[in-house]
Amino acid sequence: MDKMLPYLQSDSTYKVHIHTFNKTLTQAQKIKKIDALEFLPFKGKVNLKNPEHSFWILEDYGMDPNNVPEEPLHLYFGRWIADGQRELIESYSVKKRHFIGNTSMDACLSFIMANHGRVKPNDVVYDPFVGTGGLLISSAHFGAYVCGTDIDYNTIHGLGKASRKNQKWRGPDENIRANLRQYGLEKYYLDALVSDSSRPIWRKGMLFDAIITDPPYGIREATRRTGSQKETVKSAERSTENHIFVSSSYHLSDIFFDLLKFAAEYLVMGGRLVYWLPIYRPEYTEEIIPRHPCLKLISNCEQMLSSHTSRRLITMEKVKEFKDQDQNSYLLDGQYMPYRGHNSFREKYFSGVTKRIAKEEKDNQK
């Protein structure tokens, strides 16, 4: 309390803000909470437009949007000192972006991932599932040179059907380069290539300071790689308008192990891998997080998707130089089998959706 007294004097002005996480309050509820601060010795005048001192009430209602408690789990009160960079969320909003797809990453999450990757000026950042390049934008904002690959020819070249409402086809200048140009970041764009992430195209050596990516889960985007189910390569007619190749399913467990193996080989020492891992929550344990002897787990953060599914933001750091014996080291590990559970994520995801719809229909019939 003594530390607050200089900011409560009669010759000062103030304002109280309220911010809640995972719950929305009505204006009446906010006023009630502000009035509850009357025990504090505020002597100054209220100034809502230009106060000298701003105080904030921060309420945390947990992580589960399906089970929001009546009272906050954590409550914080303090004086505002300075803003962070939350304005970036608005200025880089996907709603205003030139080129988007079905799975374009939210601007806030993109910047969180770049922070986890410790992206800094002159880094080289790579996204092996680049899509429309949303994750490249946040890294380029921090001065990194960015590149990516994707198996989808049409997405890389900005062809095909548009993802925006009331727009049937993509325009002539809808592509990743145009997105970086929109934000004045084109000088940081190296290139985006059509490539299968399961078959690396890069020369041997440590090339990247960070690998930041969001692999497909098989929900809104298919998980696939080149080659038929029988591993028989067949030729197919190709053109710039309709690029066709033979593809086979790509199990989630294989996606993540290929990703970790690639990161272990191509990251510089101390470089970071940041990616999203889909989880079926009733079966989640720490043991199902994919591991590699060259990579150290730094953080594991959960984002809820539904009552039964979530995705975890996994951050790993390269701590050991890659050797030939590390190529398939995970196959020798007895913990490998639990990772196979990722392969059925799609079925588990939609089984939960089906059960919820059935329950809603049953409730409506009562």
Side-chain angles (χ1 to χ4, degrees):
M1 182 66 73
D2 292 340
K3 294 181 179 179
M4 286 186 62
L5 290 178
Y7 312 110
L8 306 176
Q9 300 304 311
S10 58
D11 59 348
S12 65
T13 58
Y14 71 95
K15 179 182 179 180
V16 178
H17 304 261
I18 293 183
H19 181 76
T20 56
F21 179 77
N22 198 30
K23 187 173 184 177
T24 302
L25 299 180
T26 65
Q27 188 62 26
Q29 289 174 319
K30 291 181 179 180
I31 293 174
K32 183 178 179 181
K33 290 178 181 290
I34 293 174
D35 289 342
L37 298 176
E38 61 182 1
F39 66 92
L40 293 174
F42 286 106
K43 297 178 181 178
K45 295 181 179 180
V46 174
N47 186 329
L48 300 180
K49 292 185 177 181
N50 188 29
E52 291 179 56
H53 308 297
S54 293
F55 297 92
W56 283 81
I57 300 172
L58 305 177
E59 296 186 338
D60 179 6
Y61 288 86
M63 300 285 290
D64 189 350
N66 301 298
N67 186 25
V68 180
E70 284 296 321
E71 298 297 327
L73 302 178
H74 301 95
L75 181 63
Y76 307 92
F77 177 76
R79 173 176 166 265
W80 171 83
I81 298 174
D83 283 327
Q85 298 187 64
R86 288 190 64 84
E87 73 279 357
L88 296 178
I89 299 173
E90 180 62 26
S91 56
Y92 283 88
S93 172
V94 174
K95 295 178 182 179
K96 303 174 184 177
R97 191 166 298 166
H98 190 63
F99 175 47
I100 63 169
N102 293 334
T103 58
S104 293
M105 183 64 67
D106 171 80
C108 178
L109 296 178
S110 296
F111 280 105
I112 288 174
M113 294 178 76
N115 285 336
H116 277 238
R118 297 194 302 191
V119 175
K120 59 186 183 299
N122 299 318
D123 278 355
V124 177
V125 177
Y126 171 63
D127 182 354
F129 305 95
V130 70
T132 57
L135 297 178
L136 302 187
I137 293 171
S138 55
S139 294
H141 172 83
F142 294 121
Y145 294 94
V146 295
C147 60
T149 57
D150 202 285
I151 197 171
D152 192 323
Y153 179 93
N154 286 340
T155 299
I156 288 290
H157 292 278
L159 302 174
K161 292 185 177 181
S163 297
R164 294 189 187 280
K165 188 178 180 180
N166 301 323
Q167 180 182 342
K168 189 171 183 180
W169 302 100
R170 290 186 172 127
D173 193 35
E174 287 192 49
N175 52 57
I176 297 173
R177 183 181 292 275
N179 274 352
L180 283 122
R181 187 186 307 125
Q182 176 182 351
Y183 301 111
L185 302 172
E186 188 177 4
K187 65 180 180 180
Y188 298 112
Y189 180 55
L190 298 177
D191 209 346
L193 309 174
V194 179
S195 174
D196 180 353
S197 64
S198 70
R199 305 173 188 269
I201 58 175
W202 307 96
R203 63 175 173 82
K204 298 295 182 180
M206 296 182 286
L207 304 177
F208 307 113
D209 297 284
I211 297 172
I212 300 177
T213 192
D214 182 28
Y217 318 142
I219 305 301
R220 287 186 291 178
E221 293 291 342
T223 56
R224 55 198 176 100
R225 57 181 167 185
T226 55
S228 69
Q229 299 289 358
K230 298 181 179 180
E231 295 300 317
T232 303
V233 179
K234 299 178 181 179
S235 61
E237 184 179 344
R238 301 176 181 180
S239 70
T240 56
E241 293 300 322
N242 190 16
H243 185 80
I244 303 172
F245 56 86
V246 179
S247 64
S248 64
S249 60
Y250 194 9
H251 293 305
L252 278 177
S253 60
D254 294 331
I255 289 177
F256 296 123
F257 279 116
D258 285 346
L259 178 62
L260 265 63
K261 185 168 64 176
F262 181 89
E265 186 169 359
Y266 290 96
L267 277 176
V268 301
M269 288 298 296
R272 288 195 169 187
L273 167 66
V274 183
Y275 70 97
W276 288 101
L277 177 70
I279 294 295
Y280 183 64
R281 299 185 75 234
E283 298 177 359
Y284 173 73
T285 64
E286 291 285 340
E287 285 70 31
I288 69 171
I289 304 298
R291 307 294 176 112
H292 193 282
C294 296
L295 302 172
K296 175 185 176 183
L297 181 64
I298 299 298
S299 66
N300 174 2
C301 309
E302 184 181 31
Q303 182 194 24
M304 295 284 295
L305 298 178
S306 69
S307 60
H308 61 287
T309 60
S310 68
R311 60 180 181 178
R312 305 190 82 93
L313 183 59
I314 307 298
T315 303
M316 309 185 86
E317 185 173 308
K318 184 172 179 178
V319 295
K320 175 178 173 288
E321 196 166 324
F322 184 84
K323 303 292 184 182
D324 289 340
Q325 58 264 33
D326 297 320
Q327 186 76 13
N328 295 308
S329 58
Y330 64 88
L331 292 173
L332 304 176
D333 192 337
Q335 291 184 326
Y336 176 62
M337 290 309 294
Y339 304 152
R340 289 294 186 182
H342 295 305
N343 296 340
S344 57
F345 176 76
R346 175 184 170 84
E347 289 73 22
K348 293 170 183 174
Y349 177 90
F350 283 112
S351 70
V353 173
T354 303
K355 289 176 183 177
R356 189 180 73 244
I357 293 173
K359 183 178 183 299
E360 290 174 353
E361 290 177 347
K362 185 176 180 180
D363 292 340
N364 291 335
Q365 292 173 357
K366 291 181 179 179

